[in-house]
Amino acid sequence: MPMKTRRWTRVEYERLVEHGLFQPDERLELLDGLLVVHEPQGSLHAMVVTAVRKALERAFGTGFHVRDEKPVALDNASEPEPDLAVVRGGLWTYGESHPAKPVLLVEVSDTSLSVDRRWKGGLYARAGIREYWIVNLTDKILEVYRRPVSAPGTRHGVRYGSIRLLRRGVTAKPLAAPKRVAVADLLPPR
């Protein structure tokens, strides 16, 4: 007999969190109705998240807040915790609920590269997130995903129609930011 599974909604997941049903140090995120365990971060990953946050804060300036490793209310079945999310407003704007429409989501990837590209990328595109970046530590590049388009036959039915691979020595301009970001500022020193 096939194994039965149960998918969770975002509201059910938030209730479980509020009632303390998970261990305090257990890092989970809800992806398309499934509870997924976050892999522990290595020191390089943690440092790159900090570097990317600082670069994005400079590029976006006032009127935006860069959240690191905080939940995003993506849709009814997903509440991921991307490494970074740039949202409109300030620090206290989302005191009542998690943001639903970040202007930019960023994942820092080494061992999670295929999940970040295929699974999370599809979820982000399906939710209408206009821009998604992967800081690819394996290949030392910035992957810039834009323009969600219909993609029947893919896991989520949507993918990004524009993908750019950027190396050191160039800059990237986030769609909603007034300033550019040097790709070298997002990667570890050589």
Side-chain angles (χ1 to χ4, degrees):
M1 283 183 64
M3 185 183 343
K4 286 187 168 187
T5 59
R6 181 193 191 283
R7 291 193 179 267
W8 297 88
T9 68
R10 187 173 50 81
V11 171
E12 291 171 326
Y13 171 66
E14 287 178 354
R15 284 188 190 135
L16 294 173
V17 171
E18 287 171 9
H19 284 76
L21 294 175
F22 302 116
Q23 299 296 322
D25 61 345
E26 193 170 20
R27 297 194 56 209
L28 298 171
E29 59 186 337
L30 182 69
L31 300 178
D32 206 24
L34 301 173
L35 294 177
V36 178
V37 177
H38 265 276
E39 295 298 319
Q41 285 187 17
S43 59
L44 177 63
H45 185 281
M47 292 297 91
V48 171
V49 168
T50 300
V52 174
R53 181 177 42 79
K54 288 180 177 185
L56 292 176
E57 286 171 344
R58 287 190 304 269
F60 279 88
T62 59
F64 294 91
H65 176 61
V66 181
R67 295 165 48 105
D68 51 351
E69 300 164 353
K70 303 291 185 274
V72 173
L74 205 57
D75 59 28
N76 289 336
S78 298
E79 189 171 293
E81 296 186 14
D83 287 316
L84 297 143
V86 181
V87 297
R88 293 188 189 281
L91 178 65
W92 299 103
T93 303
Y94 300 96
E96 298 295 317
S97 63
H98 299 305
K101 289 292 181 190
V103 297
L104 173 63
L105 290 174
V106 181
E107 296 287 356
V108 174
S109 297
D110 40 23
T111 59
S112 64
L113 194 54
S114 65
V115 169
D116 291 338
R117 280 182 180 150
R118 291 181 183 88
W119 200 4
K120 285 190 173 182
L123 286 174
Y124 296 158
R126 184 178 75 187
I129 304 300
R130 293 180 56 216
E131 186 170 27
Y132 169 48
W133 290 5
I134 296 175
V135 179
N136 177 335
L137 297 179
T138 303
D139 300 314
K140 297 179 178 57
I141 59 172
L142 173 65
E143 300 179 15
V144 176
Y145 296 82
R146 292 180 176 160
R147 203 172 40 81
V149 296
S150 177
T154 62
R155 172 180 219 117
H156 303 295
V158 182
R159 65 175 176 76
Y160 283 98
S162 170
I163 303 169
R164 293 181 57 215
L165 306 178
L166 304 176
R167 300 194 180 283
R168 287 180 196 280
V170 300
T171 60
K173 168 87 171 52
L175 292 173
K179 296 180 184 172
R180 301 184 75 77
V181 175
V183 173
D185 290 347
L186 310 177
L187 296 169
R190 294 181 186 179

